């Protein structure tokens, strides 16, 4: 019976749609300084930052020269030249045409608008606080200016009476010429308007009749103005250069007894000029719009100006923002990457989905000169918001089971998303509360400002419910992401098979490891698990856990040397009986050093980061001193220090203990003798040098090792004999205390695969070794205990060397 720990985690994200109002402005302060005003081209703009208006109702009124306030409704805005826009962050922008109905105009060059702004917490505007904003802007008009505002189209033309040389009749008919019949039959001494619906169809009406249809028509000292809604009754939809335009063509006229004064006014604004293509906003504006060029033959000096929020952008700025503007003779195509500087993102949850929109307000102005109208300035203002793009939050499971902690990344979110609450097992916690209770919550902010949240929750969290199950050992973390209204945006179960136990590595090379049933492999048949050698299956299984036992010398176990370590590796895999696909791999490794560690690499196929487990097993060396050349009896611990006479040789044996790997071979890199236990001390006499017997004749002799009752793997041992009279101290033979030291290398017999053993030195004595490396990492040093050398028996102090007696017993 295994336990399942179950943990519920609920995330709730709050989008910063709501920002608290700044209390200062709900009081009776009459300063309107927080309203930012600016003259932008032929418009006046007022900006009300979100902090002053959010969660409030805001009303704008235009104030006329008598001080009367006219509340700006949608229809008044369209007719009189006002635009109110909100962005998703709650900022409000108010724009007015310089020729709005209630503008005070001085000499057609200086314009003053007065706006009353009321802010109230109540829908009925009760207790509203009022602010007056008066803004004056100078402006120099071109002979003809057209604006495509977001909610209306506006055209104004100069109405100065032309001097005779300019007024010569042309061959190409202008609109006024076709309106002439209507004008002649029209009323005297009143302005009237003829709408050109087609070349033959005209409608004539009085100005006030047109105004009641929603048109804004007025004359100033030097200009005539026509403002029209996009959907005006007399508007015609026209395809120009692949784009649909709403077009209104009109001739205004004024008749007195002996003359008729006619002024053509036409405006055409695009309706479907913006497209969204693969992350780009593509804005296509054709040039040379025929409704605006009636009677014109020659168009020249066409130039464009592009910008955002009615502010010019230089070519460098356009480049830096990655906008792409293609200005051709017939068309201007502007491409803006979604997300570019100049616009802003907003996160939303719509229909239980998290997603984003991007908004930008570019404008494009085209200025040209033609032979019918003189200079024309044509400006399109756009308020573009990309369609809602679902961006389901992505949960990335980076859990490493051995850390016993869920490591989950959630994202990517825009900076306007906040992690507010977590619900763990039904208990709602704010982020600081969750952190206090042991959850690790981090945010990873990217260079572009977007953010991921990283959550680390221990498997053993107090609030985890523990449940029994019979399929395996698993911890589960159900995660759901909710918006600020509590709607589920995304849910997922993150589960994790708990880490496997590390293998047990025995000193004799036996490896034992168990594998638990993997939860996400349906109907897993544990008996189908195998080691590298497919013939090596589990030795036992209880239906939940399979046990493997193998040795470093079986089941295709591989061995390699790395650092100061010898590593045996194998892997247990599970292959689908149906598809033949490997569904699960678990690496098993034992690292051996003299104080040995071992490692488990646990790699389920779908979740590659391996886990590491550490264990220990001994692997060691021993240096023995034999009592004879047959290497059958050795000096035991109590017999040290061993006493020897100069004529007696010393028989050494070095063995690699515990290993059952027959492919290993022990080599003696160098051996030497010193007069003190310190292996670095001087004097020092070489015995084995660069893997060879020291070149002093007969000093050192290697002895071969054969398998016998005691020796299972001869390659794990090396034997050599040392003649004791060869240690010279100046001219005389050294007598006294002496210690022996060896540098040992352990190599695989398969030289190519073991970098430590690939280098072949100059001396290759057959009895000693096959190969070795000077730089080998798997070096071990081993030293003998004390041996005393005496010239003859007479010199022996029996008190100091009680074992001498024993020695005598053996030898004499
Ligand atoms: C026309 O212009 C005059 C002078 O600027 C102004 O007083 C009047 O309100 C305007 N009328 C309309 C309907 O725009
Ligand atoms: C009006 O403007 C014209 C030309 O811009 C100028 O000559 C005239 O003096 C101005 N009149 C006033 C009263 O400012
Ligand atoms: C134009 O649209 C507005 C707002 O949708 C509507 O109130 C008005 O009636 C429409 N006008 C015409 C002439 O269709
Ligand atoms: C913006 O560009 C237009 C046309 O290039 C120019 O007439 C105008 O002065 C510029 N405005 C600013 C504020 O630079
Ligand atoms: C776990 O979370 C940290 C963030 O603290 C992240 O840097 C790391 O890559 C995640 N994954 C792992 C495997 O540790
Ligand atoms: C990210 O963390 C910082 C500091 O921990 C915090 O100030 C900021 O608000 C966090 N950002 C988000 C989007 O949660
Ligand atoms: C977050 O949790 C706190 C404490 O439980 C609660 O007061 C608050 O309303 C929650 N916020 C949201 C957005 O659910
Ligand atoms: C921001 O950067 C992150 C990480 O590079 C990326 O995943 C994300 O898509 C980027 N977001 C945007 C809006 O560019
Ligand atoms: C999460 O990652 C862990 C460790 O890689 C893995 O055991 C577990 O199956 C994964 N869970 C999911 C739902 O991907
Ligand atoms: C390994 O051996 C060294 C020296 O013999 C010793 O200092 C160290 O503590 C040992 N390490 C372990 C993990 O036993
Ligand atoms: C075992 O050896 C591998 C490979 O060198 C190494 O990554 C790992 O850290 C070692 N394990 C231990 C416990 O030293």
């Amino acid at each position: 019976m295994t336990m399942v720990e179950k943990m519920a985690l609920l995330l709730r994200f709050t989008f910063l749609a709501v920002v608290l109002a700044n209390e200062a402005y709900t009081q009776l302060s009459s300063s309107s300084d927080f309203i930012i005003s600016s003259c932008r081209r032929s418009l006046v703009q007022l900006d009300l930052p979100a902090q002053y208006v959010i969660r409030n109702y805001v009303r704008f009124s235009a104030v006329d020269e008598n001080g009367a306030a006219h509340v700006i409704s949608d229809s008044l805005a369209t007719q009189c030249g006002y635009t109110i826009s909100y962005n998703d962050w709650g900022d409000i922008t108010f724009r007015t045409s310089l020729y709005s109905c209630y503008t005070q105009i001085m000499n057609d060059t200086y314009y003053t608008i007065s706006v009353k702004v009321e802010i109230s917490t109540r829908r009925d505007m009760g207790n509203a606080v009022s602010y007056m904003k008066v803004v004056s802007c100078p402006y120099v008009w071109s002979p003809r200016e057209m604006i495509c505002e977001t909610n209306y189209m506006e055209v104004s033309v100069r109405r100065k009476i032309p001097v005779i040389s300019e007024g010569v009749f042309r061959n190409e008919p202008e609109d006024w010429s076709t309106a002439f019949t209507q004008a002649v039959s029209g009323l005297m001494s009143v302005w009237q308007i003829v709408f050109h619906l087609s070349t033959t169809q005209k409608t004539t009406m009085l100005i006030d009749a047109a105004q009641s249809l929603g048109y804004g028509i007025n004359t100033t000292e030097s200009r005539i103005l026509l403002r029209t809604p996009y959907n005006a009754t007399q508007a015609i939809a026209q395809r120009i250069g692949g784009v649909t335009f709403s077009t209104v063509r009109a001739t205004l006229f004024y008749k007195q007894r002996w003359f008729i004064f006619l002024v053509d006014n036409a405006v055409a604004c695009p309706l479907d000029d913006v497209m969204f293509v693969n992350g780009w906003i593509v804005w296509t504006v054709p040039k040379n719009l025929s409704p605006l060029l009636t009677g014109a033959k020659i168009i020249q000096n066409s130039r464009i100006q592009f910008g955002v929020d009615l502010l010019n952008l230089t070519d460098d700025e356009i480049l830096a923002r990655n906008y792409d503007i293609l200005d051709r003779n017939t068309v201007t195509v502007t491409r803006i990457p979604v997300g570019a500087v100049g616009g802003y993102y907003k996160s939303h949850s719509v229909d239980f989905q998290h997603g984003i929109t991007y908004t930008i307000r570019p404008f494009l102005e085209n200025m040209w000169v033609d032979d019918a109208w003189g200079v024309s300035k044509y400006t399109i203002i756009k308020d573009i918001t990309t369609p809602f793009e679902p961006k389901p939050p992505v949960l990335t499971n980076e859990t490493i089971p051995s850390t016993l902690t869920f490591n989950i990344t959630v994202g990517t979110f825009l900076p306007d998303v906040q992690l507010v609450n977590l619900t763990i097992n039904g208990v709602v916690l704010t982020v600081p509360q969750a952190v206090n209770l042991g959850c690790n919550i981090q945010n990873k902010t990217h260079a572009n400002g977007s953010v991921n949240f990283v959550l680390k929750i221990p498997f053993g969290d107090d609030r985890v419910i523990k449940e029994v199950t019979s399929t395996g050992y698993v911890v589960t973390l159900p995660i759901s992401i909710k918006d600020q209204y509590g709607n589920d945006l995304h849910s997922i179960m993150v589960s994790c098979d708990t880490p496997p136990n590390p293998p047990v590595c025995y000193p004799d090379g036996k490896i034992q490891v168990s594998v638990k049933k993997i939860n996400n492999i349906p109907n897993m048949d544990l008996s189908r698990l195998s080691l590298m050698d497919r013939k090596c299956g589990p030795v036992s299984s209880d239906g939940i856990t399979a046990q493997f036992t193998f040795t470093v010398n079986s089941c295709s176990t591989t061995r390699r040397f790395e650092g100061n370590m010898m590593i045996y590796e194998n892997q247990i895999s599970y292959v689908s009986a149906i598809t033949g696909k490997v569904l699960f791999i678990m690496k098993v490794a034992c690292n051996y050093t003299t104080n040995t560690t071992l490692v488990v690499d646990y790699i389920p196929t779908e979740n590659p980061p391996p886990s590491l487990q550490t264990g220990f097993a001994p692997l060691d060396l021993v240096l023995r001193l034999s009592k004879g050349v047959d290497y059958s009896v050795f000096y035991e611990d109590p017999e040290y220090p061993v006493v020897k006479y100069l004529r007696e040789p010393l028989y050494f044996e070095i063995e690699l203990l515990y290993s059952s790997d027959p492919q290993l071979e022990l080599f003696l890199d160098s051996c030497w003798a010193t007069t003190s236990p310190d292996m670095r001390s001087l004097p020092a006499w070489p015995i084995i040098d660069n893997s060879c017997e020291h070149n002093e004749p007969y000093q050192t002799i290697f002895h071969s090792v054969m398998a016998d009752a005691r020796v299972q793997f001869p390659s794990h041992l090396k034997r050599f004999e040392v003649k004791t009279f060869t240690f010279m101290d100046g001219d005389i033979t050294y007598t006294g205390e002496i210690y022996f030291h060896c540098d040992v290398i352990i190599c695989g017999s398969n030289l190519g695969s073991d970098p430590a053993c690939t280098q072949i030195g100059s001396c290759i004595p057959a009895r000693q070794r096959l190969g070795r490396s000077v730089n080998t990492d798997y070096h071990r040093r081993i030293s003998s205990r004390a041996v005393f050398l005496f010239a003859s028996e007479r010199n022996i102090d029996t008190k100091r060397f009680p074992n001498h007696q024993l020695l005598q017993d053996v030898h004499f």
Side-chain angles (χ1 to χ4, degrees), residues 397-401 492-497 520 602 604 607-609:
N397 169 22
E398 287 193 62
T399 309
I400 296 175
I492 193 174
M493 295 278 267
V494 184
S495 62
C496 194
D497 292 297
N520 53 19
Y602 173 65
N607 297 287

Side-chain angles (χ1 to χ4, degrees), residues 398-400 403 407-409 440 442 444 454-456 609:
E398 287 193 62
T399 309
I400 296 175
T403 60
N407 185 348
I408 310 288
T409 304
N440 181 332
Q442 296 168 11
K444 225 167 35 183
V454 181
L455 307 163
K456 289 190 190 166

Side-chain angles (χ1 to χ4, degrees), residues 271-282:
L271 295 171
D272 55 3
D273 46 338
V274 176
M275 291 193 302
F276 306 106
V277 185
N278 297 332
W280 289 80
I281 295 166
V282 181

Side-chain angles (χ1 to χ4, degrees), residues 141-159:
W141 294 88
S142 301
R144 176 168 67 154
E145 295 210 6
M146 291 154 282
I147 289 187
C148 299
E149 245 293 7
T150 55
N151 57 331
Y152 61 83
M153 313 188 274
E154 183 185 281
V155 54
S156 73
V157 299
R158 200 164 53 185
R159 66 170 175 103

Side-chain angles (χ1 to χ4, degrees), residues 482-528:
K482 298 174 179 251
D483 66 12
Q484 72 267 40
Y485 311 111
N487 297 323
D488 256 309
L489 300 180
H490 190 65
S491 294
I492 193 174
M493 295 278 267
V494 184
S495 62
C496 194
D497 292 297
T498 52
N501 293 324
V504 183
C505 305
Y506 292 94
D508 65 356
K510 191 170 79 178
I511 299 173
Q512 274 186 343
V513 63
S514 59
V515 179
K516 295 200 180 85
K517 201 161 186 168
I518 309 302
N519 235 32
N520 53 19
I521 302 178
N523 307 319
M524 183 174 182
D525 173 4
L526 288 177
S527 70
R528 293 182 49 78

